Amino acid sequence: MKIIKPFACLFFVLIWLNAFAQTGSKSSIADGNNAGLILPKSFAAIKLADNIGKSRHIAVTPQGDIYVKQLVANGSKGILLLREEKGTGRAAIIKSFGDYGGTGIAIKNGYLYASSDVDIYRYKLDDKGIVIDPEHPEKIVNGLLERHEHESKSIVLDDDGYIYTNIGAYSNSCQERDRVKGSPGMKPCPILDSAGGIWRFKADLPNQTYANGTRYATGLRNVVGLDWNKTTNSLFVMMHGRDQLHDLFPQYYDEKQSAELPAETMYELHNGSNCGWPYMYYDQQKHQKILAPEYGGDGVKQGGENAQDPVAAFPGHLAPNGLLFYTGTMFPEKYRNGAFIAFHGSWNRAPEKQKGFLVAFVPLKNGKPSGDWEIFADNFAGTNDITSPRQAAHRPCGLAQGPDGALYVSDDVKGAIYKIIYTGK
Amino acid sequence: MRYLFFLVLVLTSLATNAQPAKAALQQSITRGKIVYNQVCISCHQADGGGVPNMNPPLIKSKWVDGDKKVLINILLNGFSEKVAIDGDYYSNNMPAQSQLTDQQIADVLTYIRNSFENKASAILPQNVKTCRKK
């Protein structure tokens, strides 16, 4: 430690100097250290803003302004509007409103939609993409379940006038007593009536409640990242797989297996889809649906006979919080209609190192993977040596695409907004 | 005069007991760390730092350093109220740990009360037993 400290200091001074060099130069976009990120060749990144507060999902207007949903409202700053000051590589907050914290934000047909953990609101936009009356949003949906676990409500809209929201299960694996060792799984799982799935509502009808909505898909433990796929005209979601296999069932899973399993999964959903939670999980190493140990499983027995298979599977616990189908033309052909996924990074790998503070990419053709997933943008955490999640400097959460095809990434540690562009160089 | 007598008695007994008491404390901490690494580490992490917005840190925690009964009851009954812990909210359930023995609970609490920048007195199995009865 004594030897490391001066080195660490030197390192930070260097980073700081570097940051200076970056803001000082005009074409900061193409030079320097890419805001600390590691990117594929010919891509560059800048940090448009930092320390703006825990930034969850983001939406970019056709004019290139950025709406940021804040986890905590801090008075009336639940939504921030950022505008990039051209040529500076910086964005300034030009508006803040909304007295509720939350996660979801989306722009569709001249409206900004945003969610707290309970309600969904919408605001009319003017022809410049600016909210007209920030004090008086229309409440579209209210009274969604929020029970102290997996409560964020992500939102996405389709082209047929519907809005979709995740209602996360307030449970890890639907045990009688959540996460208590030895407590059995409930069958049928009563949570699924009102949570653990995706609900669909009308996008333009005020004051809807559960009664107005449809349980569009079920058996989804918790979804934070979701997006509408225009090539298949269907909803895709990223599910957070269950935690604590070793804690709860050390007889079947050692610490290493528990750090890798189960998969984080991508599903394509249709009305009536069932993805199998809590009775099963997906094992990305065996490519099998495995019976959950709370329901008689032992790590080997298969389950989920009626549950659909994932479109793609990723290593366990990396926490996919953002999903975006790339429809722009700035990035090379390979990226078109493929999926970017913002992984928040793990916590449930201890005592193994935590990992996955990154943005991944999986190429898709007609909604099916056409190649292996890869790391697109790495090193949000600032180091690979994370033994406790609070050590991560930044954690990717939301994704958005700019009108020119640039990719935006938000961070919910202190609140950085990154812009990633293709330079071709 | 009587007080003085008691004082002397207490002081001498403290002095003679100090060494074994210290050793017992150290043993409880050592055992407690093992329990911690088995049942608490995934949520509260090796450094007691927790998981931002999800599981609170145990570092310099007023719950950890505070009233023994309150702390013991967090372990026996779990904790899932929406309360601000040092100004932040945590959205996850702390599962009850009542499957642990009185000794294990005493040890793990004594461990966290002597780790992560906390400093508080040891918790004994009989303290846990008293709370469990109610």
Side-chain angles (χ1 to χ4, degrees):
Chain A
M1 203 50 209
K2 276 200 184 106
I3 317 172
I4 294 170
K5 254 191 186 155
F7 274 107
C9 288
L10 185 68
F11 182 67
F12 284 119
V13 167
L14 283 177
I15 289 187
W16 183 71
L17 284 175
N18 218 332
F20 241 88
Q22 230 195 19
T23 41
S25 87
K26 205 150 196 247
S27 62
S28 53
I29 258 179
D31 61 41
N33 68 347
N34 292 323
L37 302 186
I38 298 169
L39 299 168
K41 197 175 167 290
S42 306
F43 284 89
I46 45 170
K47 209 189 255 181
L48 286 176
D50 206 352
N51 297 313
I52 60 170
K54 297 172 179 178
S55 300
R56 297 287 283 176
H57 283 175
I58 46 178
V60 178
T61 67
Q63 293 75 16
D65 291 336
I66 312 153
Y67 283 101
V68 183
K69 187 75 199 82
Q70 295 282 300
L71 183 65
V72 186
N74 274 329
S76 218
K77 293 184 209 132
I79 300 173
L80 307 179
L81 178 58
L82 270 64
R83 177 166 292 166
E84 186 177 344
E85 293 156 348
K86 289 274 175 271
T88 64
R90 294 257 134 204
I93 298 171
I94 58 167
K95 229 182 187 29
S96 56
F97 56 97
D99 58 1
Y100 52 95
T103 290
I105 198 152
I107 293 171
K108 189 80 184 181
N109 297 337
Y111 284 93
L112 177 75
Y113 291 80
S115 67
S116 70
D117 292 343
V118 182
D119 305 318
I120 303 174
Y121 302 86
R122 75 168 181 177
Y123 305 79
K124 186 136 188 54
L125 298 174
D126 67 17
D127 57 6
K128 294 189 180 66
I130 307 293
V131 165
I132 295 168
D133 187 358
E135 301 309 317
H136 303 99
E138 243 180 302
K139 202 185 256 187
I140 297 297
V141 182
N142 62 73
L144 300 176
L145 216 60
E146 180 232 16
R147 293 234 176 124
H148 203 54
E149 184 173 356
H150 302 151
E151 66 268 65
S152 65
K153 305 290 182 286
S154 315
I155 50 174
V156 70
L157 292 100
D158 66 11
D159 292 325
D160 294 313
Y162 290 107
I163 185 165
Y164 300 79
T165 185
N166 167 62
I167 306 179
Y170 43 93
S171 174
N172 176 37
S173 191
C174 208
Q175 291 169 275
E176 274 169 20
R177 296 176 72 202
D178 186 33
R179 298 176 193 260
V180 172
K181 194 171 171 180
S183 174
M186 293 185 277
K187 199 167 185 184
C189 173
I191 291 172
L192 292 170
D193 293 346
S194 55
I198 301 290
W199 265 254
R200 184 176 81 173
F201 295 93
K202 291 283 232 185
D204 59 358
L205 189 68
N207 285 317
Q208 298 168 86
T209 62
Y210 271 99
N212 306 87
T214 310
R215 190 181 74 176
Y216 190 73
T218 189
L220 289 156
R221 180 175 172 275
N222 186 35
V223 167
V224 188
L226 75 186
D227 196 16
W228 192 262
N229 187 327
K230 295 206 189 262
T231 59
T232 54
N233 197 33
S234 57
L235 177 63
F236 278 61
V237 301
M238 292 293 314
M239 187 179 93
H240 285 217
R242 57 155 308 149
D243 304 323
Q244 294 188 280
L245 284 169
H246 170 75
D247 289 349
L248 300 169
F249 296 93
Q251 66 273 41
Y252 303 134
Y253 306 90
D254 64 24
E255 284 166 347
K256 281 215 153 59
Q257 289 169 313
S258 188
E260 296 299 330
L261 294 174
E264 306 288 52
T265 39
M266 177 190 281
Y267 291 104
E268 177 177 7
L269 303 179
H270 298 284
N271 200 349
S273 283
N274 172 16
C275 300
W277 181 89
Y279 312 115
M280 56 144 277
Y281 65 79
Y282 192 76
D283 182 325
Q284 76 278 17
Q285 294 162 347
K286 297 187 183 129
H287 307 283
Q288 281 173 351
K289 290 176 284 188
I290 303 292
L291 189 64
E294 287 82 359
Y295 293 89
D298 57 3
V300 180
K301 277 185 220 150
Q302 297 189 40
E305 294 75 20
N306 303 318
Q308 70 181 62
D309 282 316
V311 172
F314 302 84
H317 312 302
L318 303 195
N321 273 9
L323 173 66
L324 178 116
F325 292 106
Y326 188 76
T327 56
T329 51
M330 178 196 273
F331 291 5
E333 185 65 36
K334 159 183 168 182
Y335 294 97
R336 312 245 167 100
N337 300 313
F340 286 103
I341 301 149
F343 283 103
H344 200 216
S346 69
W347 62 272
N348 202 230
R349 287 173 46 82
E352 301 292 308
K353 274 186 191 169
Q354 306 297 348
K355 61 179 195 183
F357 306 86
L358 54 86
V359 175
F361 176 75
V362 55
L364 298 170
K365 236 187 171 80
N366 302 320
K368 300 264 183 307
S370 55
D372 288 337
W373 73 274
E374 59 192 58
I375 295 174
F376 176 73
D378 205 354
N379 201 38
F380 286 87
T383 159
N384 272 332
D385 191 21
I386 302 273
T387 52
S388 181
R390 70 182 175 125
Q391 295 158 352
H394 299 286
R395 304 181 76 181
C397 188
L399 295 171
Q401 185 184 307
D404 58 353
L407 181 71
Y408 293 77
V409 186
S410 60
D411 141 66
D412 71 354
V413 176
K414 293 214 174 77
I417 306 294
Y418 298 84
K419 180 180 182 181
I420 303 176
I421 59 160
Y422 183 70
T423 62
K425 283 182 254 169
Chain B
M1 210 27 218
R2 268 191 28 206
Y3 288 117
L4 200 69
F5 172 72
F6 272 114
L7 195 67
V8 170
L9 200 69
V10 167
L11 282 176
T12 42
S13 75
L14 271 181
T16 46
N17 278 333
Q19 275 323 95
K22 212 171 166 201
L25 174 68
Q26 208 46 54
Q27 281 161 7
S28 175
I29 292 173
T30 308
R31 286 191 306 266
K33 184 171 183 175
I34 297 171
V35 178
Y36 185 88
N37 286 343
Q38 278 165 356
V39 290
C40 323
I41 194 171
S42 8
C43 297
H44 293 292
Q45 305 290 317
D47 63 349
V51 180
N53 309 318
M54 193 171 197
N55 306 314
L58 303 179
I59 299 169
K60 275 197 211 151
S61 157
K62 67 165 198 247
W63 305 86
V64 175
D65 280 338
D67 185 74
K68 287 184 184 182
K69 281 202 201 90
V70 173
L71 181 59
I72 293 169
N73 279 320
I74 290 178
L75 260 71
L76 289 176
N77 306 325
F79 194 53
S80 47
E81 287 147 47
K82 203 167 180 140
V83 293
I85 298 174
D86 282 333
D88 282 316
Y89 286 92
Y90 294 88
S91 55
N92 194 5
N93 296 319
M94 157 95 185
Q97 304 292 333
S98 52
Q99 81 283 0
L100 300 175
T101 63
D102 293 350
Q103 183 74 55
Q104 285 174 313
I105 290 180
D107 289 342
V108 77
L109 292 179
T110 300
Y111 167 66
I112 61 174
R113 278 160 77 91
N114 287 282
S115 312
F116 317 137
E117 297 171 53
N118 297 308
K119 193 73 207 142
S121 59
I123 288 183
L124 302 171
Q126 49 264 42
N127 303 139
V128 181
K129 196 171 184 179
T130 323
C131 290
R132 226 191 259 270
K133 274 200 204 121
K134 286 180 229 152

